[in-house]
């Protein structure tokens, strides 16, 4: 297991008393195989009652939890508790966090735990002023014995040092009575963190700078990461060799498809990794390959853009689902009907098509069996239209829907869609300036009691639309992941897996290989489990192959211009390092070498773009520990305008 904590912490021997919270002593030198447990008492705890909505129970020595038919009263009771965590060693491994509660009665009841997403105080909180709760329970416990401790696993909600609040909810009419921190005998709620101290150890082999968590560990997290699959660009369009296939003949050449893309120098600047022709049903085989690639990158599934219910795109959606089911039914497909492509499709036809797809066990459903549907540009139809469609799905096909609309303008449409939505998302932006305050939307969604699916992106350049965003090398990728992690987004959508016409792809490609997915794997692990310990020195190079202002030699009549409001365009080579210890980095660009000292952990530094080649070498104690040479030459006179950032890794 990897370290689940993303905050770099100094090892401590004893944890100080934190207000009313107490902590047990942690051994200064615990054995690598002996678990260490640290317990934090609740800073605050209280319960609230729907039957007495204005009353505060802040002085009660117990906490009540029950459902809407609570004993002789009507309305439910919910318990709230809060903890402060501090001092877990940086190299902690096999980390488990439990919320421990002591029962005052013996009851055959079930209590669930949910993160509290709104603000509250122990003294002032009543049912009327209750905070927002996470829509999804992260664990449940059934059966309570008077005087005994029940444990609920909250590992997925604790990301590092900080303050964490939880709600205990129930559905039973019988009341579950738990001790509060005001009960004598120190029997109030506690948070127990159990871990083993890491041994450090040698470097790992393989392409990643850390020991990757297994698929089961990643999927056990309540946080989900999907990648947006765009059906126009599968691995192969005609099962031909990559040097002469449809991508090479028609999409990457200005004269392709009878010159229809000549004005902007060709439709695409990148393509999927090529392969030799294969026998049999190559389309399904290729989808299986992409599913395996996504699983290897740590993804939970794809959100599939459904552009049609009759064309080749519809066939590809069905084949993708078929491939996922064959490879690993645990890899989930989220249905994403696209209101642009489906503008002429009526509600009944769409319902029949979605019901057909929903028959697959690979299509994503919530634990309560609701089918997750996340329409792209949901505002392309009114909230009333979607409400009627959901009723059709339930009455005609027996399928309840958990709607997670993906908006182009979330703030304009969120209120109208709130009554029918399980959660929200937006398509997002692809430049650091526009991604500086991502927590606002997440907080708004959580404040409305909805989950949030945060878009995470690399870059965006669209030759056929004549527009591009300035991603700032990997800065936009890192900024969008920071927003998802710090904002505690419930889900993430990588936008996109393979939209090569907008150059937003994470998928293994000609221009980046696996580099963006490898970098992404680190942040994905941070998001789900806490940042892993760097065990292998790695360096990544990103750069364009031309200055932004360079004029192409091909007579293009349509050139990309910077999107309004984007980060200012720049001509830079970035070195992103993930190091086990500080090292000296030498960077050579266009024959000029510069050096700098890089710290342990993750850091990035940029240098001016120059014509020629780019490389970087990391040394420590006079020995090279990582070296990356970009295979992409930089020129001041490109054949066509090409603003797609290339990427290379020292590990592949």
């Amino acid at each position: 297991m990897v370290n689940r904590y993303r905050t770099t912490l100094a090892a401590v021997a004893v944890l100080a008393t934190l207000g009313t919270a107490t902590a047990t002593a942690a051994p200064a030198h615990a054995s690598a195989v002996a678990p260490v447990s640290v317990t934090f008492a609740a800073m605050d705890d209280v319960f609230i009652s729907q039957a007495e909505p204005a009353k505060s129970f802040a002085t009660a020595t117990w906490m009540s939890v029950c459902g809407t038919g609570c004993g002789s009263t009507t309305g439910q009771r919910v318990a709230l508790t809060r903890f402060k965590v501090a001092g877990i060693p940086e190299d902690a491994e096999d980390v488990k966090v439990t919320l421990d509660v002591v029962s005052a009665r013996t009851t055959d009841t079930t209590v669930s735990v949910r993160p509290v997403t709104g603000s509250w105080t122990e003294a002032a909180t009543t049912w009327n002023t209750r905070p927002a709760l996470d829509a999804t329970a992260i664990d449940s416990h059934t059966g309570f014995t008077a005087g005994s401790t029940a444990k609920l696993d909250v590992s997925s909600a604790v990301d590092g040092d900080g303050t964490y609040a939880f709600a205990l909810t129930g559905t039973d009419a019988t009341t579950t009575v738990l001790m509060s921190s005001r009960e004598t005998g120190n029997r109030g709620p506690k948070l127990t963190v159990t871990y083993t101290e890491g041994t450090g150890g040698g470097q790992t082999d393989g392409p990643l700078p850390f020991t990757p968590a297994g698929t089961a560990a990643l999927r056990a997290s309540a946080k989900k990461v999907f990648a947006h699959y765009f059906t126009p660009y599968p691995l192969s369009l005609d099962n031909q060799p990559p040097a002469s296939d449809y991508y090479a003949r028609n999409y990457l050449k200005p004269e392709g498809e009878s010159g229809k893309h000549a004005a902007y120098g060709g439709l695409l600047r990148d393509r999927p990794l090529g392969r030799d022709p294969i026998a049999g049903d190559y389309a399904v085989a290729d989808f299986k390959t992409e599913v395996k690639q996504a699983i290897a990158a740590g993804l939970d599934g794809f959100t599939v853009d459904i552009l049609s219910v009759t064309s080749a795109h519809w066939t590809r959606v069905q084949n993708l689902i078929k491939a996922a089911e064959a490879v690993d039914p645990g890899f989930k497909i989220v249905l994403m009907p696209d209101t642009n492509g489906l503008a002429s499709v009526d509600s009944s036809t769409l319902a029949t098509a979605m019901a057909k797809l929903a028959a697959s066990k690979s299509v994503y459903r919530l634990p309560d069996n609701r089918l997750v549907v996340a329409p792209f540009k949901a505002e392309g139809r009114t909230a009333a239209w979607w409400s009627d469609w959901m009723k059709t799905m339930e009455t005609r096909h027996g399928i309840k829907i958990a709607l997670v609309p993906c908006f182009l303008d979330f703030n304009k449409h969120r209120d109208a869609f709130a009554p029918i939505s399980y959660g929200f998302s937006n398509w997002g932006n692809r430049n650091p300036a526009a991604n500086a305050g991502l927590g606002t939307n997440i907080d708004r969604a959580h404040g409305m009691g909805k989950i949030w699916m945060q878009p995470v992106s690399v870059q965006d350049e669209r030759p056929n639309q004549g527009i591009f965003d300035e991603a700032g090398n990997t800065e936009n990728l890192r900024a969008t992941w920071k927003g998802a992690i710090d904002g505690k987004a419930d889900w993430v959508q990588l936008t996109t897996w393979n939209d090569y016409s907008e150059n937003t792809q994470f998928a293994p490609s000609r221009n980046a290989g696996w580099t963006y997915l490898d970098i992404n794997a680190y942040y994905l692990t941070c998001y789900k489990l806490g940042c892993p310990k760097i065990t292998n020195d790695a360096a990544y190079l990103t750069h364009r192959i031309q200055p932004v202002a360079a004029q192409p030699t091909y007579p293009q009549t349509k050139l990309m211009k910077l999107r309004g409001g984007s980060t200012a365009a720049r001509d830079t080579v970035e070195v992103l390092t993930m190091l086990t210890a500080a090292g000296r980095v030498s960077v050579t660009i266009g024959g000029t070498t510069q050096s700098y000292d890089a710290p342990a952990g993750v850091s990035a530094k940029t240098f001016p773009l120059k014509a020629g080649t780019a490389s970087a070498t990391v040394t420590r104690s006079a020995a090279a520990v990582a070296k990356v040479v970009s295979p992409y030459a930089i020129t001041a006179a490109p054949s066509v305008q090409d603003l797609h950032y290339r990427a290379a890794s020292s590990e592949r």
Side-chain angles (χ1 to χ4, degrees):
M1 294 286 289
V2 297
N3 171 26
R4 299 170 75 95
Y5 287 84
R6 68 170 177 265
T7 305
T8 300
L9 304 172
V12 295
V14 180
L15 301 178
T17 299
L18 301 169
T20 59
T22 59
T24 61
H29 301 288
S31 166
V33 296
V36 178
S37 289
V38 183
T39 300
F40 302 90
M43 299 173 63
D44 302 287
D45 55 12
V46 72
F47 78 93
I48 52 178
S49 173
Q50 190 175 14
E52 300 175 274
K55 183 176 179 179
S56 168
F57 294 88
T59 61
T61 58
W62 73 93
M63 298 186 296
S64 294
V65 178
C66 53
T68 53
C70 190
S72 60
T73 64
T74 58
Q76 58 185 306
R77 294 180 181 181
V78 174
L80 305 172
T81 185
R82 180 161 40 218
F83 305 89
K84 186 172 183 179
V85 174
I88 308 303
E90 177 186 358
D91 61 352
E93 299 176 356
D94 300 321
V95 180
K96 184 175 181 179
V97 186
T98 62
L99 171 58
D100 307 332
V101 290
V102 177
S103 179
R105 297 178 184 173
T106 298
T107 54
D108 186 21
T109 53
T110 298
V111 168
S112 298
V113 60
R114 304 167 188 271
V116 176
T117 56
S119 60
W120 61 282
T121 62
E122 184 179 74
T125 299
T126 66
W127 183 266
N128 287 339
T129 62
R130 67 191 184 279
L133 311 182
D134 196 290
T136 304
I138 54 178
D139 195 22
S140 298
H141 181 86
T142 300
F144 293 82
T145 301
S148 296
T149 299
K151 293 180 176 291
L152 296 103
D153 191 339
V154 295
S155 304
S156 62
V158 179
D159 295 326
D161 276 17
T163 302
Y164 298 93
F166 300 98
L168 296 168
T169 63
T171 57
D172 300 281
T174 301
T175 303
T176 305
V177 181
L178 306 172
M179 304 291 192
S180 80
S181 59
R182 289 165 293 281
E183 173 67 36
T184 59
N186 191 27
R187 294 185 289 176
K190 295 179 176 61
L191 202 69
T192 299
V193 182
T194 303
Y195 63 91
T196 56
E197 289 189 359
T199 58
Q203 295 194 348
T204 59
D205 295 324
L208 298 179
F210 61 95
T211 302
T215 299
L218 291 173
R219 288 183 183 171
S221 171
K223 298 173 181 177
K224 302 302 177 187
V225 180
F226 305 102
H228 182 87
Y229 194 97
F230 194 53
T231 56
Y233 303 113
L235 286 185
S236 177
L237 292 160
D238 56 4
N239 199 30
Q240 296 299 306
S244 58
D245 67 1
Y246 201 90
Y247 283 105
R249 297 192 316 271
N250 290 297
Y251 285 167
L252 292 166
K253 292 183 178 179
E255 62 272 18
E257 292 194 322
S258 301
K260 66 186 291 185
H261 308 297
Y264 36 87
L267 179 64
L268 306 183
R269 298 297 185 266
D270 197 7
R271 58 160 297 159
L273 292 177
R275 59 154 179 79
D276 293 330
I278 57 178
D281 189 340
Y282 78 87
V284 172
D286 283 347
F287 284 127
K288 289 179 180 179
T289 295
E290 292 194 90
V291 168
K292 291 175 183 177
Q293 290 174 339
I295 292 172
L299 304 185
D300 293 289
F302 287 138
T303 54
V304 61
D305 196 300
I306 302 172
L307 292 162
S308 167
V309 295
T310 57
S311 69
H313 296 302
W314 175 244
T315 301
R316 288 172 187 160
V317 170
Q318 295 177 87
N319 282 341
L320 176 61
I321 292 172
K322 180 180 178 181
E325 190 168 311
V327 172
D328 180 358
F331 182 84
K332 297 302 182 182
I333 306 298
V334 177
L335 304 182
M336 183 168 271
D338 188 322
T339 64
N340 286 330
L342 300 172
S344 61
V345 176
D346 61 55
S347 177
S348 177
T349 301
L350 180 62
T352 300
M354 297 303 100
K356 180 178 180 179
L357 299 179
S360 171
K361 58 185 177 182
S362 288
V363 171
Y364 189 45
R365 292 175 181 262
L366 298 179
D368 62 10
N369 206 41
R370 279 184 292 169
L371 177 71
V372 176
V373 177
F376 173 79
K377 194 185 175 183
E379 64 264 46
R381 301 291 180 96
T382 65
W385 189 95
W386 285 111
S387 179
D388 289 342
W389 177 80
M390 292 166 66
K391 291 176 183 176
T392 299
M393 288 293 291
E394 184 171 1
T395 58
R396 189 175 301 174
H397 301 285
I399 300 173
K400 292 185 177 181
I401 300 297
L403 195 73
V404 185
C406 181
F407 298 110
L408 297 188
D409 191 337
F410 162 63
N411 288 306
K412 182 177 180 180
H413 300 283
R414 65 179 192 243
D415 291 336
F417 277 77
I420 63 170
S421 297
Y422 171 72
F424 293 131
S425 183
N426 68 341
W427 191 237
N429 298 288
R430 309 323 173 30
N431 68 84
N435 286 318
L438 298 180
T440 301
N441 284 345
I442 302 174
D443 289 344
R444 285 172 179 165
H446 287 168
M448 299 172 77
K450 311 298 179 184
I451 70 152
W452 178 262
M453 181 165 66
Q454 174 61 39
V456 166
S457 55
V458 181
Q459 57 186 321
D460 191 332
E461 292 79 38
R462 310 181 184 191
N464 64 332
Q465 296 182 35
I467 198 167
F468 77 98
D469 277 280
E470 179 51 69
N473 302 85
T474 69
E475 185 179 349
N476 184 70
L477 173 60
R478 291 180 280 117
T480 49
W481 263 121
K482 177 177 171 56
I485 294 169
D486 291 351
K488 300 186 184 298
D490 306 274
W491 299 348
V492 160
Q493 179 180 209
L494 306 184
T495 52
T496 64
W497 175 258
N498 66 331
D499 190 347
Y500 292 93
S501 59
E502 296 184 358
N503 285 296
T504 55
Q505 61 277 0
F506 278 83
S509 72
R510 183 194 68 173
N511 288 357
W514 280 76
T515 303
Y516 287 127
L517 279 180
D518 288 351
I519 296 171
N520 189 77
Y522 175 81
Y523 290 100
L524 179 152
T525 304
C526 291
Y527 169 68
K528 281 176 167 279
L529 304 176
C531 287
K533 183 178 181 180
I534 303 299
T535 56
N536 187 41
D537 296 303
Y540 305 98
L541 275 178
T542 54
H543 63 86
R544 293 192 175 106
I545 60 170
Q546 65 156 86
V548 171
Q551 294 298 304
T553 58
Y554 184 83
Q556 281 184 239
T557 58
K558 186 176 186 178
L559 295 175
M560 288 180 280
K561 297 181 180 180
L562 187 66
R563 187 191 300 273
S566 177
T567 300
R570 73 189 201 191
D571 295 324
T572 52
V573 176
E574 180 193 89
V575 183
L576 176 67
T577 54
M578 298 187 184
L579 303 181
T580 60
R584 186 71 174 171
V585 184
S586 296
V587 184
T588 301
I589 306 168
T592 301
T593 300
Q594 303 175 67
S595 297
Y596 70 99
D597 293 319
V602 181
S603 67
K605 189 171 181 63
T606 59
F607 300 88
L609 186 78
K610 295 181 180 180
T613 59
S615 64
T617 302
V618 182
T619 59
R620 188 179 302 116
S621 301
V625 295
K627 182 176 182 179
V628 55
V629 179
S630 173
Y632 313 106
I634 304 164
T635 178
S639 58
V640 296
Q641 187 192 36
D642 187 348
L643 301 182
H644 185 237
Y645 274 106
R646 270 53 170 180
S649 168
S650 65
E651 303 305 291
R652 289 191 185 262

